[in-house]
């Protein structure tokens, strides 16, 4: 993967989203309670709200404005009012640093 370094894993606060912008693409980066690092599109598909300002629980990120929850694994909304998924990006950890390629959303099921 030809990703860009965004942070050290140790810099990411557990169960809290961090907003990064790579090549003009806003991305929410999350280290969940299991220690897995996820990267999804940072814009809620319902209200154009930054998801990184929302709430993380397990493998979901909830939009603070209207309560839509998105899977950190698939990007799919888990409840209304959002019904369109957000993109999910591949994450690679190299020597304790997080790398993301914003040019290619990851295929999810």
């Amino acid at each position: 993967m030809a990703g860009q370094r965004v942070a050290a894993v140790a810099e990411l606060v557990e169960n809290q989203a961090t907003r990064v912008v790579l090549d003009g693409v806003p991305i929410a980066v999350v280290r969940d309670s299991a220690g897995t690092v996820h990267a999804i599109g940072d814009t809620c598909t319902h209200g154009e709200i930054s998801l990184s300002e929302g709430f993380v629980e397990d493998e979901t990120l909830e939009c603070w404005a209207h309560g839509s929850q998105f899977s950190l694994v698939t990007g799919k909304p888990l409840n209304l009012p959002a019904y369109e998924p957000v993109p999910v990006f591949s994450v690679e950890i190299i020597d304790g640093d997080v790398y993301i390629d914003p040019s290619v959303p990851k295929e999810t099921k």
Side-chain angles (χ1 to χ4, degrees), residues 3-69:
Q4 297 178 44
R5 183 191 181 281
V6 296
V9 173
E11 295 172 339
L12 300 175
V13 178
E14 183 178 299
N15 290 326
Q16 182 176 316
T18 300
R19 184 178 200 268
V20 298
V21 179
L22 301 176
D23 297 339
V25 178
I27 298 172
V29 182
V30 176
R31 182 168 58 101
D32 67 20
S33 57
T36 303
V37 178
H38 305 272
I40 67 172
D42 187 45
T43 306
C44 178
T45 56
H46 168 256
E48 299 291 313
I49 302 291
S50 175
L51 290 174
S52 61
E53 296 176 25
F55 312 100
V56 177
E57 186 174 339
D58 299 323
E59 292 183 338
T60 64
L61 179 53
E62 180 179 329
C63 178
W64 65 269
H66 299 109
S68 290
Q69 295 177 340

Side-chain angles (χ1 to χ4, degrees), residues 1 7-9 12 35-37 91-99:
M1 179 174 95
V9 173
L12 300 175
T36 303
V37 178
V91 173
E92 190 170 9
I93 309 295
I94 301 172
D95 296 328
D97 290 328
V98 178
Y99 291 83

